[in-house]
Amino acid sequence: VALNLHPNELTKLRFQSSAYIADETEAFDIIGEYWLQEVETDLGEDNFGEPVNLIGVGTFHDWARNNLESKVYTVEHKGTRIAEKHFWKWGLKFQREKITDNLSEWVLLDSAGYNLPFSDTNINFQEVLKTDIGLSSNRYSAYIQDELNLDDNDMWKMNAGIRMHYWDVNEEVVVSPRLQLSYAPQWERSDVVFRGAVGAYNQPPFYRELRNQDGDLNLSLLAQKSYQVVLGSDWNMLLWERPFKLTTEVYYKYLYDLIPYDLENIRIQYFGENKSDGYAAGLDMRLFGEFVPGTDSWISLSLLKTEEDIDGDSYIDTLGNVIDIGSVARPTDQRLNVGMFFQDYLRRNENFKVYLNFLYGTGLPFSPPNNEQFRNALRIPDYRRVDIGFSAQLFDKEKHLNRKGFIGGFENIWASLEVFNLLGVSNTIAYTWVNDTNNTTYAVPQRLTDRRPNFKLIAKF
């Protein structure tokens, strides 16, 4: 619900309130079996490459019935005012949160008919997690910002502001000042804008970050914080007598009070502690425009390196020395991403279109579970995908103004046929870790969907 007020032509006020309820259920019941065997490696043997010795047979069973319900209520005011060369923006917000969290998980490991760890009297589980948690809290936030023209030619502009946040769970007050300058030189042959920004960016935790891997809440958890520097440019140009835009950004972010986390397939498991600091540095480039007249296509390139140093992580070497791990890759450390989206249409009939989508990304880091020495030291294979799509406009009201009946009530109707992962690449998303009777760990890849067709009908009215 929102109320907009306009006291005068220069001032706009907005008062709004909202509420939402999110009910998330995570339920799985996964049973897997495995056979571990030695393979004949002697080229002179008739059974070369075949199993010759059974090392172990086992079964693992992962089970969970988890439920998280979030109720969030907000009351907010926003306002803007124009004053000569200034454009002011401000806001106040109150947010009430109520969380109910129920966890029930266990992992059972069986080897050759015996539960691990073995007991002749009990059934022992590898992991058991059961909790019943509730949390109610209040947040208060405010911001003020000014966009200022620094000269009469609109060449120099400044955007300065400050944001404040308070949460009564950790009783932390976070203040984030930010500043951006932009310069648009009046060059005859180029339309370009250069930007530079510095500021403190802080991310107060929500409930999920408070909960560690044992299901306990850390109510003193602080906001994750960073200092960031960003330099960028927007360059509008003509190529092949058609409009294009090249955007470029290079950035460096110093990160501290971080909350480390592990990725288990698509599941995030937070440590629940502010126990690391690190950095993120990278480059983003995107060329967007009409490679074919009347269609939008683009090419993008991203470089990224992000690492963190977790407090207290170490291992003991073969000589008994305690070795500090130092900086390790963060779970999002994907060094290279390249994408291309290209559209075309039939020269004699623009109602028939085709697109090609190319994606390539180097592998994300991963590591064996509960292994500090090799945390995120391994890499998933590179991600590769090609998509193709065909679409046809079945009806256009502007071209069929006299069309009556049911079809005449639509603005336009499109039908499309797409094929995702056209080349059928088996991309790896994660690994399942299997232990044998000697507690040796093996990684079994989990792969994404192979090739998938998709038919879509879009009708606008």
Side-chain angles (χ1 to χ4, degrees):
V1 177
L3 172 65
N4 294 312
L5 300 177
H6 304 278
N8 53 60
E9 294 182 355
L10 303 179
T11 305
K12 295 181 180 180
L13 304 177
R14 180 179 177 88
F15 300 88
Q16 64 185 43
S17 63
S18 64
Y20 76 84
I21 298 176
D23 193 355
E24 303 177 24
T25 300
E26 182 183 43
F28 53 82
D29 196 355
I30 304 172
I31 299 177
E33 296 182 349
Y34 61 89
W35 290 262
L36 302 176
Q37 298 170 300
E38 290 183 352
V39 176
E40 179 59 63
T41 58
D42 188 348
L43 291 173
E45 296 294 332
D46 295 336
N47 59 346
F48 171 72
E50 298 178 3
V52 294
N53 185 30
L54 180 64
I55 300 175
V57 176
T59 301
F60 60 88
H61 190 173
D62 290 357
W63 185 94
R65 295 295 184 271
N66 302 328
N67 181 260
L68 175 65
E69 185 181 78
S70 307
K71 298 179 180 179
V72 180
Y73 311 94
T74 63
V75 177
E76 187 174 5
H77 162 62
K78 294 181 179 181
T80 63
R81 178 172 174 79
I82 300 174
E84 295 182 356
K85 296 182 179 181
H86 299 267
F87 181 46
W88 291 95
K89 295 182 180 180
W90 65 87
L92 300 169
K93 184 177 182 180
F94 167 74
Q95 182 166 299
R96 172 73 173 169
E97 301 168 1
K98 296 188 68 175
I99 308 294
T100 303
D101 189 18
N102 299 296
L103 298 178
S104 181
E105 300 182 20
W106 49 261
V107 176
L108 182 66
L109 182 62
D110 174 279
S111 181
Y114 295 93
N115 285 334
L116 298 178
F118 173 73
S119 171
D120 56 1
T121 58
N122 299 313
I123 297 177
N124 295 319
F125 296 88
Q126 289 286 106
E127 301 173 16
V128 177
L129 180 60
K130 289 186 178 294
T131 65
D132 188 0
I133 305 172
L135 180 67
S136 297
S137 63
N138 302 302
R139 296 180 190 265
Y140 307 85
S141 60
Y143 70 89
I144 185 169
Q145 172 183 303
D146 182 24
E147 298 178 11
L148 172 63
N149 290 330
L150 298 178
D151 63 359
D152 295 331
N153 297 322
D154 290 339
M155 294 176 60
W156 287 95
K157 294 183 180 181
M158 181 181 72
N159 188 317
I162 190 168
R163 182 178 294 271
M164 183 277 294
H165 179 276
Y166 172 77
W167 192 27
D168 63 5
V169 171
N170 56 16
E171 299 183 345
E172 180 187 28
V173 177
V174 176
V175 179
S176 309
R178 303 170 187 177
L179 174 67
Q180 177 176 292
L181 287 174
S182 62
Y183 172 60
Q186 297 181 343
W187 295 340
E188 293 183 1
R189 298 184 178 180
S190 297
D191 179 10
V192 63
V193 176
F194 298 101
R195 304 185 311 275
V198 295
Y201 291 78
N202 305 304
Q203 181 178 318
F206 192 63
Y207 169 81
R208 188 59 187 83
E209 289 95 313
L210 301 181
R211 194 181 75 195
N212 64 19
Q213 294 166 322
D214 296 323
D216 300 321
L217 294 186
N218 177 11
L219 300 183
S220 61
L221 190 71
L222 302 178
Q224 301 184 93
K225 304 176 180 68
S226 69
Y227 295 110
Q228 305 187 13
V229 178
V230 181
L231 298 175
S233 66
D234 296 326
W235 183 12
N236 295 295
M237 65 186 77
L238 288 176
L239 295 176
W240 307 292
E241 298 182 353
R242 291 189 289 274
F244 282 83
K245 183 177 183 179
L246 175 65
T247 62
T248 305
E249 277 194 353
V250 58
Y251 57 86
Y252 179 84
K253 307 177 182 182
Y254 169 66
L255 317 171
Y256 65 105
D257 281 347
L258 293 177
I259 307 168
Y261 63 91
D262 289 328
L263 278 176
E264 180 186 338
N265 199 320
I266 59 173
R267 190 188 201 194
I268 298 178
Q269 298 275 32
Y270 291 97
F271 282 34
E273 296 182 77
N274 301 103
K275 59 180 305 182
S276 71
D277 55 27
Y279 70 90
L283 167 71
D284 290 326
M285 299 181 67
R286 182 184 179 98
L287 179 63
F288 178 90
E290 299 182 6
F291 288 91
V292 175
T295 64
D296 293 326
S297 302
W298 50 263
I299 300 174
S300 65
L301 169 68
S302 295
L303 304 175
L304 168 68
K305 185 176 182 181
T306 178
E307 294 183 327
E308 64 182 336
D309 188 355
I310 301 176
D311 296 340
D313 59 343
S314 61
Y315 69 95
I316 300 177
D317 65 10
T318 55
L319 301 178
N321 300 315
V322 178
I323 307 298
D324 181 60
I325 300 295
S327 295
V328 298
R330 303 195 74 206
T332 54
D333 183 45
Q334 191 171 31
R335 299 294 174 84
L336 173 64
N337 257 305
V338 179
M340 187 177 78
F341 181 80
F342 178 78
Q343 291 189 89
D344 200 355
Y345 54 82
L346 294 180
R347 185 178 298 272
R348 295 184 179 180
N349 192 339
E350 298 182 9
N351 293 332
F352 292 89
K353 296 183 178 181
V354 63
Y355 80 82
L356 283 172
N357 186 39
F358 300 87
L359 295 172
Y360 172 80
T362 54
L364 290 165
F366 76 101
S367 55
N370 305 315
N371 191 317
E372 291 186 341
Q373 181 178 356
F374 297 105
R375 176 175 176 80
N376 290 340
L378 307 173
R379 292 276 172 173
I380 291 175
D382 295 350
Y383 181 86
R384 297 158 293 156
R385 201 179 90 197
V386 178
D387 304 329
I388 189 170
F390 304 89
S391 60
Q393 188 173 33
L394 305 181
F395 176 75
D396 184 357
K397 191 171 185 177
E398 293 183 358
K399 298 179 180 178
H400 304 85
L401 294 177
N402 298 323
R403 188 69 177 264
K404 304 297 182 180
F406 176 76
I407 296 297
F410 292 92
E411 294 291 332
N412 57 67
I413 300 176
W414 284 86
S416 67
L417 176 64
E418 301 167 294
V419 181
F420 300 123
N421 195 10
L422 178 65
L423 303 181
V425 178
S426 296
N427 288 301
T428 300
I429 185 62
Y431 288 87
T432 297
W433 297 92
V434 177
N435 288 37
D436 63 12
T437 53
N438 298 318
N439 208 30
T440 302
T441 303
Y442 300 86
V444 181
Q446 299 177 2
R447 306 191 189 277
L448 293 172
T449 304
D450 194 352
R451 185 183 296 108
R452 173 172 292 186
N454 180 59
F455 177 76
K456 185 164 53 179
L457 184 65
I458 301 174
K460 295 183 179 181
F461 55 90

